[in-house]
Each structure stands twice: as C-alpha cells, then as structure tokens.
Amino acid sequence: MEHIRQLIRTIPDFPRPGIQFKDITPLLKVPGCVREATHAMITPFREQQITAVCGMEARGFIFGSLAAQLLNTAFIPLRKPGKLPGQVVAVAYTLEYGSTTLQMQRDALTATDKVLLIDDLIATGGTALASCELIEKLGAKVAACAFLIELSDLGGRAKLTDYAVHSVLDYPA
C-alpha cells in the first residue's frame, strides 16, 4: 500500500490553521490504484452478506459507490441537509470545527439490512459515529466501518467501539 500512500498528499492548514488535510485527489487520477484501495477497504467484509454500503458526503460517495459495485449491493448516500427529496431521517453532530447534520431517505434501509459504512478518512470519529446512529435509526445493522485513511492520533476509532473498524492507511495527526 506504500504506492497508494505516496499518492495522498498533505495540505497544511486546510481548511483552517493546524489541520493537516489528506488530499486524495492525486490518488483519484490513477484508476488502478483507486480500485486497489477500494478492494483493500472491503476485503475483510466480503463474506459478511452486506446488503448495502453507506457513504458520507462527499468523499465517502467515491469509495462507497465503488465498494457497493464490488460487493454487488446497494449504495446509500448520507447527505447534508436539503439535498435529498422525500422524507428523510437526520442526525445532528459536532465536528472538530463546527456542527452539522447528516440525512438519509426514510425508505433507504430496513431492519433486514446489514450495512458497511465507507469513508475516505476517520479523524475524530464524529461523522462516522453519527452515520452509524443514522443507519440504526432505520433499524438496520452496521456490520462494519471501513476507511482508506485513519488519523490514529485523533482517536476516532475509540468512538466506534460498538463496531468493527478497518482502515487501510494509518497517519499521525
């Protein structure tokens, strides 16, 4: 995975001073590496009868939709407010630099669904935990959470103790 790590660049002080942003844009320009990274994210869960993959706006859409294709299952987007038609369920949560809300269409999942949550990165774990809560609001089960990048110094994994967590690349914060 070192070749994939080399395609991820760090942008200092973005989106605000002190943040070391992990930019996956160079990785996205290399299709074979995107495919390999997505495979690495889902491999531990291939035999778990996943019925849906959920990905958070925005970069979770990239890997989430690819993961759903590889697992031959549904992709469910978790969106910012006002982006989904019809009835939605929502969870509000705080970020390291603000607060926000995630929404999902009310009919997106049922109690029979077994979900793999996908995002490009886990930092403090707030978005991932809110996503799990949103999935569970519809009665679905979160089978696991998978991330391409983990900023392990920020302790996000500790917020997800009720879930299996898999990350491909670990970075200090």
Side-chain angles (χ1 to χ4, degrees), residues 113-160:
D113 283 308
K114 192 172 182 183
V115 176
L116 177 60
L117 179 68
I118 296 273
D119 204 2
D120 68 312
L121 183 139
I122 180 171
T124 63
T127 302
L129 182 60
S131 297
C132 291
E133 291 171 4
L134 185 58
I135 292 163
E136 291 171 341
K137 266 190 163 187
L138 292 179
K141 179 183 182 343
V142 176
C145 305
F147 308 94
L148 176 61
I149 300 166
E150 180 174 358
L151 303 179
S152 57
D153 292 352
L154 296 180
R157 184 182 288 258
K159 287 187 180 170
L160 302 174

Side-chain angles (χ1 to χ4, degrees), residues 72-140:
N72 195 34
T73 193
F75 173 71
I76 309 298
L78 307 181
R79 305 279 329 249
K80 295 174 184 171
K83 302 288 186 179
L84 292 170
Q87 293 185 338
V88 297
V89 293
V91 171
Y93 64 103
T94 57
L95 297 164
E96 50 275 34
Y97 42 86
S99 63
T100 192
T101 300
L102 278 177
Q103 296 182 333
M104 175 174 37
Q105 289 177 321
R106 183 169 294 283
D107 62 355
L109 298 169
T110 68
T112 61
D113 283 308
K114 192 172 182 183
V115 176
L116 177 60
L117 179 68
I118 296 273
D119 204 2
D120 68 312
L121 183 139
I122 180 171
T124 63
T127 302
L129 182 60
S131 297
C132 291
E133 291 171 4
L134 185 58
I135 292 163
E136 291 171 341
K137 266 190 163 187
L138 292 179

Side-chain angles (χ1 to χ4, degrees), residues 10-22 94-99 123-124 151 154 173:
T10 300
I11 308 295
D13 299 320
F14 181 82
R16 67 179 183 106
I19 302 292
Q20 299 295 309
F21 185 82
K22 301 303 179 208
T94 57
L95 297 164
E96 50 275 34
Y97 42 86
S99 63
T124 63
L151 303 179
L154 296 180

Side-chain angles (χ1 to χ4, degrees), residues 34-53:
V34 173
R35 188 171 29 261
E36 184 179 352
T38 307
H39 274 282
M41 292 170 74
I42 67 167
T43 294
F45 314 108
R46 283 194 172 273
E47 304 301 320
Q48 290 196 16
Q49 289 97 33
I50 302 296
T51 61
V53 172

